[in-house]
Amino acid sequence: MNSISESSLPKTELNSAIQHLLDALKELTFAHSVCLFWVKNETQQLLIEAKSTNAQSFSSSFRFSLGQDLVSQIATNGKPLIITNINPSAQRDLFCYYDANENVKSFAGVPIFFSQNNSPVAILCADSLSVDDFGNETLNSLQNFGEIISSLLKNYTEKYDLQIDAKLLNAIRAMQSEIFSNSSTQSIYDSLLREISKILSWNFLSIVSIDKNDNVWKFQNVLNNTTQRYAETARTIEIQNSLVGKSLQANRSIIINSLSEQNLIRFYKDESLSPHGSFLCIPLSNDENCFAVLTAEFQEASAYTQKDIQTLQPLLSFVTTQLEILEAKQKIKEEVQKENLTNALREKFFFQQLENELQRASTFNENCTLAIFSIDRAQKLKDRFEENGFNIIRKSIANVIQNTIRSFDVFGMSEEFRERFFVLLVHGSSTDAQLWGEKVRKQIASTIISLEEKTFSATTSIGMYCITKPMNGEFAFSYAKTALNKAIEQGENSVKIL
């Protein structure tokens, strides 16, 4: 079974159901221990899925090699087994799952089959500290519970790979641990490449995803285990001409067995990459979005197969789910922090970022400028066009302001005075700020707004304060507000900087 069922994270519905079944079976049979093992014929191993036990010396190991112990015998023969009087001196040979003698006297176990498999996929077993404690009724109970587990597996087979590779088990567990201690997009990508590097043959691995600020696809991480140079990570991916672009547009994996047979672009047109080897692209996507593309390259031909993609799928599905969760959290956060109409930070959150930026500016001895915009004749506009019409005016002005600032500048709004917007220009001189203020003032005044079959323009008064020394946000805001009052006194459509 897959690693999720063995992990320390909150159990899936399947894992929880299995544990409840084992607890019930233990109570029904008065057993000392009840265990469920997965059988890995490819690696000749038993993997313990769940247990319900009173034992003090139950093994901490997760994997056991198939041998001559009782569980292995059932896995090998595919037949039920019952023993009613176990010789104490033989216990260490008969029980792989105990580290010390537990004085077990009785044992019963049954194979669990899945679909039309001739070999068991799992073993369900129970043991007791009493002689002759188990009989045919115990085997019947085990078989009944085994059939329930088999039915559960059938329901979950599309979601979980029953024959998942042991390396993948470790990979998902490691990623789960890392992601839940540091849940960010970059940490997910870094962790994914680290785990993929333990599974695939590779010389180069990369993650490509969209930069939402610039709306282009870029490298997020690249691993290189050679001395050769690889792709330039600062370069933008060419979506229309590259293999990566084709993979994300078609939302499908691409395998190139021999790069030398075709003149193919991996990432961008003028890349200087080796023409030899094999290449793999796998999109990380759900039904609606492609979050990223994983690429792997190996300098030998035919290094990758569809089986590799299938093997990685549980890990990639897990990663995609985490990316979905992060995106959902971000949307919720934005809905809380930003006004949906103008995409401006609400006042509380603007001031939080203001304080952070002022602290950073003080640390690095940088200047920044705080600006307050106030829509002129706001009350008259509200009276004339009512709330919905005034919101259209606010949105128009907000769009103009946002189009003139950089991605790292901060844009906010006043909750009390909804005709006011705030902008923090991160680093820059007072001269640059003055020029920007005049520029945005003119653009706002020249923007034509259509409303109720009428066209008109609105203007703003702008107060600006250039912050050149350490101070908190409250002081900076009071100075900018003083500048705004002076701008309003000068008349409409004006800028004042202190």
Side-chain angles (χ1 to χ4, degrees), residues 189 208-212 217 239 244-253 281-294 320 323-324 327:
Y189 291 147
V208 170
S209 71
I210 192 165
D211 183 328
K212 292 186 178 179
W217 286 76
I239 301 301
V244 170
K246 290 178 181 178
S247 178
L248 71 89
Q249 285 183 317
N251 195 19
R252 64 178 179 85
S253 300
C281 291
I282 307 177
L284 305 181
S285 60
N286 57 19
D287 293 336
E288 297 177 358
N289 298 316
C290 181
F291 297 99
V293 177
L294 165 71
T320 301
L323 293 172
E324 285 179 304
E327 187 175 80

Side-chain angles (χ1 to χ4, degrees), residues 247-303:
S247 178
L248 71 89
Q249 285 183 317
N251 195 19
R252 64 178 179 85
S253 300
I254 294 176
I255 298 174
I256 303 299
N257 289 320
S258 179
L259 290 165
S260 60
E261 293 179 3
Q262 307 172 61
N263 185 21
L264 297 170
I265 299 171
R266 278 89 125 188
F267 305 104
Y268 49 85
K269 193 171 293 184
D270 55 344
E271 59 194 14
S272 299
L273 304 177
S274 169
H276 305 292
S278 43
F279 189 74
L280 172 66
C281 291
I282 307 177
L284 305 181
S285 60
N286 57 19
D287 293 336
E288 297 177 358
N289 298 316
C290 181
F291 297 99
V293 177
L294 165 71
T295 77
E297 185 168 338
F298 194 53
Q299 292 174 340
E300 294 180 9
S302 303

Side-chain angles (χ1 to χ4, degrees), residues 362-376:
S362 175
T363 301
F364 294 100
N365 196 29
E366 294 178 350
N367 296 341
C368 51
T369 300
L370 177 61
I372 305 177
F373 291 73
S374 183
I375 301 174
D376 295 325

Side-chain angles (χ1 to χ4, degrees), residues 227-244:
T227 57
Q228 302 174 24
R229 292 182 61 187
Y230 197 54
E232 298 174 35
T233 55
R235 292 290 298 268
T236 297
I237 307 302
E238 295 183 16
I239 301 301
Q240 298 303 322
N241 301 311
S242 66
L243 291 173
V244 170

Side-chain angles (χ1 to χ4, degrees), residues 175-189 191 318-319 321-327 329-330 333:
M175 285 205 66
Q176 287 170 333
S177 177
E178 250 184 85
I179 287 171
F180 285 97
S181 64
N182 179 21
S183 184
S184 68
T185 303
Q186 191 60 54
S187 68
I188 290 174
Y189 291 147
S191 182
F318 169 75
V319 170
T321 299
Q322 300 311 308
L323 293 172
E324 285 179 304
I325 292 170
L326 274 184
E327 187 175 80
K329 285 182 177 178
Q330 184 61 32
K333 182 179 178 182

